[in-house]
PDB file of all heavy atoms in Angstrom:
ATOM      1  N   ASN A   1     109.930 104.993 116.981  1.00 85.00           N
ATOM      2  CA  ASN A   1     110.320 104.801 118.376  1.00 85.00           C
ATOM      3  C   ASN A   1     110.911 106.026 119.048  1.00 85.00           C
ATOM      4  O   ASN A   1     110.859 106.136 120.265  1.00 85.00           O
ATOM      5  CB  ASN A   1     111.319 103.638 118.481  1.00 85.00           C
ATOM      6  CG  ASN A   1     110.693 102.319 118.097  1.00 85.00           C
ATOM      7  OD1 ASN A   1     109.554 102.045 118.430  1.00 85.00           O
ATOM      8  ND2 ASN A   1     111.434 101.512 117.358  1.00 85.00           N
ATOM      9  N   ASN A   2     111.462 106.961 118.270  1.00 83.00           N
ATOM     10  CA  ASN A   2     112.230 108.055 118.887  1.00 83.00           C
ATOM     11  C   ASN A   2     111.820 109.465 118.503  1.00 83.00           C
ATOM     12  O   ASN A   2     112.132 110.400 119.230  1.00 83.00           O
ATOM     13  CB  ASN A   2     113.719 107.887 118.555  1.00 83.00           C
ATOM     14  CG  ASN A   2     114.263 106.574 119.061  1.00 83.00           C
ATOM     15  OD1 ASN A   2     114.006 106.171 120.181  1.00 83.00           O
ATOM     16  ND2 ASN A   2     115.011 105.891 118.200  1.00 83.00           N
ATOM     17  N   ALA A   3     111.199 109.655 117.357  1.00 84.00           N
ATOM     18  CA  ALA A   3     110.918 111.019 116.902  1.00 84.00           C
ATOM     19  C   ALA A   3     109.649 111.556 117.555  1.00 84.00           C
ATOM     20  O   ALA A   3     108.595 110.931 117.483  1.00 84.00           O
ATOM     21  CB  ALA A   3     110.786 111.059 115.386  1.00 84.00           C
ATOM     22  N   GLU A   4     109.787 112.698 118.174  1.00 87.00           N
ATOM     23  CA  GLU A   4     108.640 113.331 118.817  1.00 87.00           C
ATOM     24  C   GLU A   4     107.590 113.696 117.772  1.00 87.00           C
ATOM     25  O   GLU A   4     107.882 114.344 116.769  1.00 87.00           O
ATOM     26  CB  GLU A   4     109.091 114.599 119.541  1.00 87.00           C
ATOM     27  CG  GLU A   4     107.981 115.310 120.258  1.00 87.00           C
ATOM     28  CD  GLU A   4     108.454 116.577 120.945  1.00 87.00           C
ATOM     29  OE1 GLU A   4     109.671 116.738 121.153  1.00 87.00           O
ATOM     30  OE2 GLU A   4     107.586 117.404 121.258  1.00 87.00           O
ATOM     31  N   GLY A   5     106.368 113.238 117.997  1.00 89.00           N
ATOM     32  CA  GLY A   5     105.259 113.614 117.135  1.00 89.00           C
ATOM     33  C   GLY A   5     105.073 112.768 115.895  1.00 89.00           C
ATOM     34  O   GLY A   5     104.172 113.031 115.100  1.00 89.00           O
ATOM     35  N   CYS A   6     105.909 111.739 115.695  1.00 89.00           N
ATOM     36  CA  CYS A   6     105.724 110.864 114.529  1.00 89.00           C
ATOM     37  C   CYS A   6     104.613 109.866 114.840  1.00 89.00           C
ATOM     38  O   CYS A   6     104.736 109.038 115.738  1.00 89.00           O
ATOM     39  CB  CYS A   6     107.011 110.130 114.177  1.00 89.00           C
ATOM     40  SG  CYS A   6     106.843 109.113 112.685  1.00 89.00           S
ATOM     41  N   VAL A   7     103.531 109.963 114.097  1.00 88.00           N
ATOM     42  CA  VAL A   7     102.373 109.101 114.317  1.00 88.00           C
ATOM     43  C   VAL A   7     102.483 107.833 113.478  1.00 88.00           C
ATOM     44  O   VAL A   7     102.171 106.742 113.934  1.00 88.00           O
ATOM     45  CB  VAL A   7     101.067 109.858 113.971  1.00 88.00           C
ATOM     46  CG1 VAL A   7      99.859 108.966 114.091  1.00 88.00           C
ATOM     47  CG2 VAL A   7     100.932 111.090 114.838  1.00 88.00           C
ATOM     48  N   LYS A   8     102.946 107.970 112.243  1.00 88.00           N
ATOM     49  CA  LYS A   8     103.042 106.822 111.341  1.00 88.00           C
ATOM     50  C   LYS A   8     104.112 107.084 110.298  1.00 88.00           C
ATOM     51  O   LYS A   8     104.294 108.202 109.835  1.00 88.00           O
ATOM     52  CB  LYS A   8     101.692 106.604 110.651  1.00 88.00           C
ATOM     53  CG  LYS A   8     101.653 105.412 109.741  1.00 88.00           C
ATOM     54  CD  LYS A   8     100.249 105.189 109.194  1.00 88.00           C
ATOM     55  CE  LYS A   8     100.223 103.891 108.442  1.00 88.00           C
ATOM     56  NZ  LYS A   8      99.066 103.102 108.721  1.00 88.00           N
ATOM     57  N   TYR A   9     104.827 106.020 109.961  1.00 87.00           N
ATOM     58  CA  TYR A   9     105.819 106.062 108.892  1.00 87.00           C
ATOM     59  C   TYR A   9     105.730 104.715 108.192  1.00 87.00           C
ATOM     60  O   TYR A   9     105.876 103.673 108.820  1.00 87.00           O
ATOM     61  CB  TYR A   9     107.221 106.273 109.471  1.00 87.00           C
ATOM     62  CG  TYR A   9     108.327 106.302 108.432  1.00 87.00           C
ATOM     63  CD1 TYR A   9     108.825 107.501 107.981  1.00 87.00           C
ATOM     64  CD2 TYR A   9     108.869 105.125 107.927  1.00 87.00           C
ATOM     65  CE1 TYR A   9     109.849 107.552 107.040  1.00 87.00           C
ATOM     66  CE2 TYR A   9     109.889 105.155 106.980  1.00 87.00           C
ATOM     67  CZ  TYR A   9     110.371 106.370 106.546  1.00 87.00           C
ATOM     68  OH  TYR A   9     111.376 106.392 105.614  1.00 87.00           O
ATOM     69  N   GLN A  10     105.442 104.757 106.936  1.00 88.00           N
ATOM     70  CA  GLN A  10     105.233 103.508 106.213  1.00 88.00           C
ATOM     71  C   GLN A  10     105.756 103.646 104.797  1.00 88.00           C
ATOM     72  O   GLN A  10     105.570 104.667 104.158  1.00 88.00           O
ATOM     73  CB  GLN A  10     103.742 103.202 106.184  1.00 88.00           C
ATOM     74  CG  GLN A  10     103.338 101.999 105.390  1.00 88.00           C
ATOM     75  CD  GLN A  10     101.824 101.825 105.429  1.00 88.00           C
ATOM     76  OE1 GLN A  10     101.171 102.175 106.401  1.00 88.00           O
ATOM     77  NE2 GLN A  10     101.280 101.292 104.372  1.00 88.00           N
ATOM     78  N   PHE A  11     106.418 102.612 104.311  1.00 85.00           N
ATOM     79  CA  PHE A  11     106.800 102.615 102.911  1.00 85.00           C
ATOM     80  C   PHE A  11     106.367 101.300 102.288  1.00 85.00           C
ATOM     81  O   PHE A  11     106.278 100.273 102.943  1.00 85.00           O
ATOM     82  CB  PHE A  11     108.290 102.881 102.711  1.00 85.00           C
ATOM     83  CG  PHE A  11     109.195 101.792 103.198  1.00 85.00           C
ATOM     84  CD1 PHE A  11     109.589 100.777 102.345  1.00 85.00           C
ATOM     85  CD2 PHE A  11     109.656 101.796 104.496  1.00 85.00           C
ATOM     86  CE1 PHE A  11     110.421  99.766 102.791  1.00 85.00           C
ATOM     87  CE2 PHE A  11     110.487 100.792 104.944  1.00 85.00           C
ATOM     88  CZ  PHE A  11     110.874  99.780 104.092  1.00 85.00           C
ATOM     89  N   THR A  12     106.073 101.363 101.005  1.00 90.00           N
ATOM     90  CA  THR A  12     105.584 100.221 100.254  1.00 90.00           C
ATOM     91  C   THR A  12     106.285 100.179  98.914  1.00 90.00           C
ATOM     92  O   THR A  12     106.451 101.200  98.262  1.00 90.00           O
ATOM     93  CB  THR A  12     104.058 100.365 100.015  1.00 90.00           C
ATOM     94  OG1 THR A  12     103.412 100.592 101.264  1.00 90.00           O
ATOM     95  CG2 THR A  12     103.485  99.133  99.367  1.00 90.00           C
ATOM     96  N   GLN A  13     106.661  98.987  98.526  1.00 92.00           N
ATOM     97  CA  GLN A  13     107.279  98.795  97.226  1.00 92.00           C
ATOM     98  C   GLN A  13     106.186  98.509  96.203  1.00 92.00           C
ATOM     99  O   GLN A  13     105.242  97.769  96.466  1.00 92.00           O
ATOM    100  CB  GLN A  13     108.248  97.616  97.307  1.00 92.00           C
ATOM    101  CG  GLN A  13     109.215  97.523  96.182  1.00 92.00           C
ATOM    102  CD  GLN A  13     110.291  96.473  96.455  1.00 92.00           C
ATOM    103  OE1 GLN A  13     110.193  95.684  97.370  1.00 92.00           O
ATOM    104  NE2 GLN A  13     111.316  96.490  95.638  1.00 92.00           N
ATOM    105  N   ASP A  14     106.290  99.120  95.036  1.00 94.00           N
ATOM    106  CA  ASP A  14     105.310  98.934  93.966  1.00 94.00           C
ATOM    107  C   ASP A  14     105.289  97.466  93.530  1.00 94.00           C
ATOM    108  O   ASP A  14     106.332  96.833  93.393  1.00 94.00           O
ATOM    109  CB  ASP A  14     105.683  99.837  92.782  1.00 94.00           C
ATOM    110  CG  ASP A  14     104.580  99.923  91.757  1.00 94.00           C
ATOM    111  OD1 ASP A  14     104.370  98.923  91.032  1.00 94.00           O
ATOM    112  OD2 ASP A  14     103.948 100.977  91.672  1.00 94.00           O
ATOM    113  N   LEU A  15     104.107  96.928  93.305  1.00 94.00           N
ATOM    114  CA  LEU A  15     103.974  95.530  92.913  1.00 94.00           C
ATOM    115  C   LEU A  15     104.398  95.279  91.470  1.00 94.00           C
ATOM    116  O   LEU A  15     104.878  94.205  91.132  1.00 94.00           O
ATOM    117  CB  LEU A  15     102.535  95.051  93.112  1.00 94.00           C
ATOM    118  CG  LEU A  15     102.046  95.028  94.552  1.00 94.00           C
ATOM    119  CD1 LEU A  15     100.564  94.674  94.593  1.00 94.00           C
ATOM    120  CD2 LEU A  15     102.862  94.047  95.381  1.00 94.00           C
ATOM    121  N   GLU A  16     104.223  96.261  90.627  1.00 96.00           N
ATOM    122  CA  GLU A  16     104.544  96.093  89.205  1.00 96.00           C
ATOM    123  C   GLU A  16     105.964  96.537  88.855  1.00 96.00           C
ATOM    124  O   GLU A  16     106.552  96.039  87.897  1.00 96.00           O
ATOM    125  CB  GLU A  16     103.533  96.847  88.344  1.00 96.00           C
ATOM    126  CG  GLU A  16     102.136  96.273  88.454  1.00 96.00           C
ATOM    127  CD  GLU A  16     101.115  97.046  87.651  1.00 96.00           C
ATOM    128  OE1 GLU A  16     101.498  97.897  86.833  1.00 96.00           O
ATOM    129  OE2 GLU A  16      99.917  96.800  87.867  1.00 96.00           O
ATOM    130  N   ASN A  17     106.497  97.477  89.598  1.00 96.00           N
ATOM    131  CA  ASN A  17     107.843  97.986  89.328  1.00 96.00           C
ATOM    132  C   ASN A  17     108.585  98.063  90.659  1.00 96.00           C
ATOM    133  O   ASN A  17     108.404  99.005  91.420  1.00 96.00           O
ATOM    134  CB  ASN A  17     107.768  99.357  88.665  1.00 96.00           C
ATOM    135  CG  ASN A  17     109.135  99.919  88.336  1.00 96.00           C
ATOM    136  OD1 ASN A  17     110.167  99.439  88.794  1.00 96.00           O
ATOM    137  ND2 ASN A  17     109.147 100.975  87.544  1.00 96.00           N
ATOM    138  N   GLU A  18     109.434  97.085  90.933  1.00 94.00           N
ATOM    139  CA  GLU A  18     110.109  97.011  92.232  1.00 94.00           C
ATOM    140  C   GLU A  18     111.038  98.184  92.507  1.00 94.00           C
ATOM    141  O   GLU A  18     111.441  98.399  93.640  1.00 94.00           O
ATOM    142  CB  GLU A  18     110.884  95.702  92.358  1.00 94.00           C
ATOM    143  CG  GLU A  18     112.085  95.600  91.453  1.00 94.00           C
ATOM    144  CD  GLU A  18     112.886  94.321  91.644  1.00 94.00           C
ATOM    145  OE1 GLU A  18     112.372  93.389  92.279  1.00 94.00           O
ATOM    146  OE2 GLU A  18     114.016  94.273  91.154  1.00 94.00           O
ATOM    147  N   ASN A  19     111.368  98.952  91.505  1.00 95.00           N
ATOM    148  CA  ASN A  19     112.239 100.114  91.702  1.00 95.00           C
ATOM    149  C   ASN A  19     111.486 101.342  92.214  1.00 95.00           C
ATOM    150  O   ASN A  19     112.106 102.356  92.522  1.00 95.00           O
ATOM    151  CB  ASN A  19     112.968 100.475  90.405  1.00 95.00           C
ATOM    152  CG  ASN A  19     113.929  99.381  89.992  1.00 95.00           C
ATOM    153  OD1 ASN A  19     113.541  98.236  89.833  1.00 95.00           O
ATOM    154  ND2 ASN A  19     115.168  99.720  89.810  1.00 95.00           N
ATOM    155  N   LEU A  20     110.167 101.262  92.287  1.00 95.00           N
ATOM    156  CA  LEU A  20     109.368 102.365  92.822  1.00 95.00           C
ATOM    157  C   LEU A  20     108.955 102.058  94.255  1.00 95.00           C
ATOM    158  O   LEU A  20     108.537 100.948  94.573  1.00 95.00           O
ATOM    159  CB  LEU A  20     108.108 102.580  91.978  1.00 95.00           C
ATOM    160  CG  LEU A  20     108.329 103.079  90.554  1.00 95.00           C
ATOM    161  CD1 LEU A  20     106.982 103.214  89.842  1.00 95.00           C
ATOM    162  CD2 LEU A  20     109.087 104.386  90.524  1.00 95.00           C
ATOM    163  N   VAL A  21     109.094 103.072  95.102  1.00 93.00           N
ATOM    164  CA  VAL A  21     108.727 102.944  96.509  1.00 93.00           C
ATOM    165  C   VAL A  21     107.851 104.136  96.875  1.00 93.00           C
ATOM    166  O   VAL A  21     108.100 105.260  96.446  1.00 93.00           O
ATOM    167  CB  VAL A  21     109.992 102.904  97.407  1.00 93.00           C
ATOM    168  CG1 VAL A  21     109.616 102.909  98.872  1.00 93.00           C
ATOM    169  CG2 VAL A  21     110.847 101.706  97.086  1.00 93.00           C
ATOM    170  N   TYR A  22     106.831 103.878  97.662  1.00 92.00           N
ATOM    171  CA  TYR A  22     105.929 104.927  98.143  1.00 92.00           C
ATOM    172  C   TYR A  22     106.140 105.076  99.646  1.00 92.00           C
ATOM    173  O   TYR A  22     106.136 104.102 100.383  1.00 92.00           O
ATOM    174  CB  TYR A  22     104.478 104.563  97.842  1.00 92.00           C
ATOM    175  CG  TYR A  22     104.268 104.286  96.378  1.00 92.00           C
ATOM    176  CD1 TYR A  22     104.353 102.993  95.872  1.00 92.00           C
ATOM    177  CD2 TYR A  22     104.019 105.316  95.486  1.00 92.00           C
ATOM    178  CE1 TYR A  22     104.188 102.734  94.521  1.00 92.00           C
ATOM    179  CE2 TYR A  22     103.853 105.068  94.130  1.00 92.00           C
ATOM    180  CZ  TYR A  22     103.940 103.778  93.659  1.00 92.00           C
ATOM    181  OH  TYR A  22     103.779 103.539  92.321  1.00 92.00           O
ATOM    182  N   LEU A  23     106.330 106.297 100.081  1.00 88.00           N
ATOM    183  CA  LEU A  23     106.613 106.575 101.477  1.00 88.00           C
ATOM    184  C   LEU A  23     105.550 107.516 102.021  1.00 88.00           C
ATOM    185  O   LEU A  23     105.222 108.523 101.396  1.00 88.00           O
ATOM    186  CB  LEU A  23     107.997 107.227 101.575  1.00 88.00           C
ATOM    187  CG  LEU A  23     108.461 107.708 102.928  1.00 88.00           C
ATOM    188  CD1 LEU A  23     108.718 106.516 103.823  1.00 88.00           C
ATOM    189  CD2 LEU A  23     109.722 108.530 102.771  1.00 88.00           C
ATOM    190  N   PHE A  24     105.007 107.168 103.184  1.00 89.00           N
ATOM    191  CA  PHE A  24     103.991 107.985 103.821  1.00 89.00           C
ATOM    192  C   PHE A  24     104.408 108.213 105.267  1.00 89.00           C
ATOM    193  O   PHE A  24     104.727 107.258 105.985  1.00 89.00           O
ATOM    194  CB  PHE A  24     102.640 107.267 103.777  1.00 89.00           C
ATOM    195  CG  PHE A  24     101.536 108.024 104.447  1.00 89.00           C
ATOM    196  CD1 PHE A  24     100.929 109.095 103.803  1.00 89.00           C
ATOM    197  CD2 PHE A  24     101.107 107.682 105.714  1.00 89.00           C
ATOM    198  CE1 PHE A  24      99.911 109.810 104.414  1.00 89.00           C
ATOM    199  CE2 PHE A  24     100.085 108.379 106.332  1.00 89.00           C
ATOM    200  CZ  PHE A  24      99.490 109.433 105.685  1.00 89.00           C
TER     201      PHE A  24
END
């Protein structure tokens, strides 16, 4: 909503290991 030029920000929690997160 606020950062100039941010097209996408997404994070996903791993299905097999909830302690792992992937950020794009």
Side-chain angles (χ1 to χ4, degrees):
N1 295 320
N2 300 315
E4 181 181 342
C6 183
V7 176
K8 182 175 188 137
Y9 179 99
Q10 175 181 329
F11 68 92
T12 307
Q13 196 170 12
D14 192 287
L15 295 174
E16 295 178 12
N17 181 346
E18 69 177 14
N19 295 56
L20 293 179
V21 175
Y22 305 93
L23 175 69
F24 178 78

